Amino acid sequence: MELQGCVFLHPVMFLTNAISFQSYCTDPDLVLELKNLIVVFADTLQGYGFPVNRLFDLLYEVRDKYNETLLKKWAGLFRDIFEADNYSPIPVANEEEYMAVISKFPFQDPEGDKVSFPKKLPMSQSVPQIYMQVKEFIYASLKFSESLHRSSTEIDDLLRKSTNLLLTRTLSSGLQNLIKKPHIGLTELVQIIINTTHLEQACKYLEDFITNITNVSPETVHTTRLYGLSTFKDARHAAEEEIYTKLNQKIDEFVQLADYDWTMSEPDGRASGYLMDLINFLRSTFQVFTNLPGKVAQTACMSACKHLSTSLTQMLLDSELKQISMGAIQQFNLDVIQCELFASSDPVPGFQEDTLQLAFIDLRQYSDRGAGLKSSEYFLMDNPFKRHLHVCCRLYQM
């Protein structure tokens, strides 16, 4: 290292080279080596009675640079972990594989322990990997405090502050970017919500991990708390919002396949194919939601039903729709019935009776109003159905 030859030369030259080096260095190991050289230099000068205040001021700058390079390095590590994850529950075939997982991550599930092997753990493989990397980061942060003659309280405070930066800035940013990636679908988003729940629960063990290193009680008045809870809650909220958005987008894709013949004389006698495909998709999707917190699954289901109801209603409100036959109304009514049957089938547990069906109540009113008209009746401006739909259309005379 270039600075090594300067340590025992002129102090000004050493300081100049040290400041220049730390400003552009991106390797935490080299920054740590610089810190060690400064400590050796300071101890040497102090032994000869020279003032070393400026060197210790420089150490503060080097410490900030070290933290910055660590955060950048761990951002890359987290990114690699996220990219390699398959976002599926971890399969464990036997006790040995199970112990290999919980040796890396403090997972506790008394009910799950009763299930015989083979079985699956709820989180995916990224969870124990992320947890282990946070611990490695704490160890790396601790290295800077070596030989600095800091008190345990000071070291504890530094470790907690740097870990908070890792959680609230680096890991949080990585999670937010992951959630927005185009290839992350509904199944992956569900798994991310489950993962963040387990990581949030593990934060107390990270607190204990730091306490065991520094021997500073977490009950100390000035002890900095870890902010991992907010990091994982924010990520979970973002994933939930993305689920609602992607569900609606998928519904839109199915609805765009609708090809109603608004002039048909007789209905087909069965619901439209696109709608049955959509309902089957929603059923299979909500089965994946069984591992989600109840409120999230219920909100997603209600949001999807309301969006479907609105999309179907907008077909009737389409300004391009000038006339509708009674056969078309009857066909449309068959689709509305299937929507209501889906809502009444309890696709997501936890809804009170008839609550989900209310999502389709306006659509039902539109359909009933049209089905109640005579085949010879026109939808004119003063027609009740016309006013209800706010469009100018008429019943097609067949």
Side-chain angles (χ1 to χ4, degrees):
M1 182 177 176
E2 179 184 348
L3 283 166
Q4 289 176 332
C6 301
V7 171
F8 300 106
L9 297 178
H10 197 282
V12 175
M13 181 183 297
F14 175 77
L15 282 174
T16 302
N17 281 275
I19 294 172
S20 175
F21 177 79
Q22 67 93 20
S23 65
Y24 64 77
C25 183
T26 58
D27 186 337
D29 291 332
L30 292 180
V31 177
L32 190 63
E33 186 176 348
L34 171 61
K35 165 256 173 180
N36 291 332
L37 288 174
I38 293 175
V39 170
V40 170
F41 190 36
D43 288 344
T44 301
L45 291 179
Q46 198 168 32
Y48 286 103
F50 292 102
V52 293
N53 292 340
R54 181 66 186 91
L55 285 173
F56 283 107
D57 290 340
L58 178 60
L59 276 177
Y60 286 111
E61 297 180 28
V62 175
R63 182 195 65 193
D64 293 340
K65 183 64 178 181
Y66 182 65
N67 286 337
E68 181 184 333
T69 56
L70 282 182
L71 292 173
K72 287 182 178 179
K73 178 180 178 179
W74 258 258
L77 292 172
F78 289 150
R79 184 169 57 251
D80 292 342
I81 290 172
F82 291 143
E83 290 178 356
D85 197 359
N86 60 8
Y87 298 98
S88 299
I90 300 174
V92 286
N94 48 49
E95 183 74 20
E96 183 180 356
E97 291 185 5
Y98 177 75
M99 295 304 296
V101 175
I102 65 172
S103 66
K104 299 176 183 177
F105 182 76
F107 175 71
Q108 295 180 345
D109 183 13
E111 292 299 319
D113 290 342
K114 300 176 184 178
V115 179
S116 59
F117 296 102
K119 58 185 177 182
K120 292 182 178 181
L121 305 183
M123 65 278 191
S124 66
Q125 61 187 5
S126 65
V127 171
Q129 292 173 353
I130 290 291
Y131 183 80
M132 290 298 295
Q133 284 302 327
V134 173
K135 292 176 70 173
E136 290 298 322
F137 177 88
I138 293 171
Y139 278 131
S141 298
L142 179 64
K143 288 181 179 179
F144 194 89
S145 299
E146 295 174 353
S147 305
L148 292 183
H149 315 296
R150 297 285 179 85
S151 68
S152 296
T153 303
E154 289 178 302
I155 293 174
D156 184 88
D157 187 60
L158 288 172
L159 288 180
R160 291 176 184 273
K161 286 181 177 178
S162 60
T163 305
N164 273 333
L165 281 176
L166 179 75
L167 296 175
T168 62
R169 193 172 82 182
T170 307
L171 183 54
S172 176
S173 176
L175 284 168
Q176 295 291 340
N177 291 335
L178 172 67
I179 289 166
K180 294 295 183 180
K181 286 185 177 296
H183 71 276
I184 296 296
L186 291 169
T187 302
E188 289 82 5
L189 288 168
V190 169
Q191 189 62 58
I192 289 171
I193 291 175
I194 295 170
N195 287 353
T196 54
T197 300
H198 286 284
L199 285 169
E200 179 183 336
Q201 294 170 352
C203 281
K204 61 181 180 181
Y205 296 101
L206 291 175
E207 295 262 14
D208 295 340
F209 180 69
I210 295 176
T211 298
N212 290 335
I213 291 175
T214 61
N215 292 318
V216 175
S217 171
E219 305 303 323
T220 303
V221 176
H222 300 293
T223 299
T224 303
R225 309 300 298 182
L226 294 184
Y227 302 140
L229 297 181
S230 61
T231 293
F232 299 123
K233 284 180 179 178
D234 290 346
R236 196 156 54 248
H237 178 71
E240 291 167 8
E241 292 297 322
E242 195 67 16
I243 283 178
Y244 308 148
T245 299
K246 286 187 179 294
L247 259 181
N248 289 348
Q249 290 173 346
K250 198 66 179 178
I251 290 172
D252 290 341
E253 292 177 11
F254 278 100
V255 171
Q256 287 173 4
L257 299 176
D259 187 22
Y260 288 103
D261 178 4
W262 298 111
T263 64
M264 66 193 311
S265 57
E266 297 291 336
D268 292 337
R270 60 183 182 276
S272 302
Y274 86 90
L275 186 78
M276 296 308 299
D277 289 342
L278 169 56
I279 288 176
N280 289 334
F281 163 76
L282 291 176
R283 287 191 190 280
S284 61
T285 298
F286 292 139
Q287 286 177 357
V288 178
F289 286 9
T290 54
N291 292 325
L292 284 176
K295 185 178 179 181
V296 177
Q298 291 168 19
T299 302
C301 187
M302 178 60 78
S303 173
C305 288
K306 286 182 176 179
H307 188 72
L308 175 57
S309 178
T310 300
S311 298
L312 293 176
T313 301
Q314 287 174 346
M315 290 185 184
L316 297 177
L317 300 178
D318 188 352
S319 60
E320 297 298 319
L321 183 58
K322 303 300 183 183
Q323 53 191 15
I324 310 175
S325 70
M326 185 56 67
I329 290 177
Q330 292 170 348
Q331 178 64 44
F332 191 83
N333 187 56
L334 291 175
D335 292 348
V336 176
I337 290 173
Q338 288 300 321
C339 291
E340 293 169 329
L341 288 174
F342 170 72
S344 63
S345 68
D346 199 24
V348 170
F351 282 107
Q352 294 183 354
E353 186 177 358
D354 297 335
T355 299
L356 193 57
Q357 289 92 309
L358 292 176
F360 296 103
I361 190 169
D362 288 342
L363 181 63
R364 165 51 60 196
Q365 290 176 356
Y366 290 142
S367 183
D368 285 349
R369 191 173 294 270
L373 295 175
K374 297 178 181 179
S375 60
S376 60
E377 189 172 4
Y378 287 84
F379 297 176
L380 302 176
M381 288 296 295
D382 58 350
N383 187 284
F385 185 48
K386 159 64 188 62
R387 291 197 299 270
H388 197 54
L389 289 178
H390 303 289
V391 294
C392 184
C393 56
R394 61 174 183 162
L395 188 64
Y396 185 79
Q397 187 76 36
M398 296 306 296

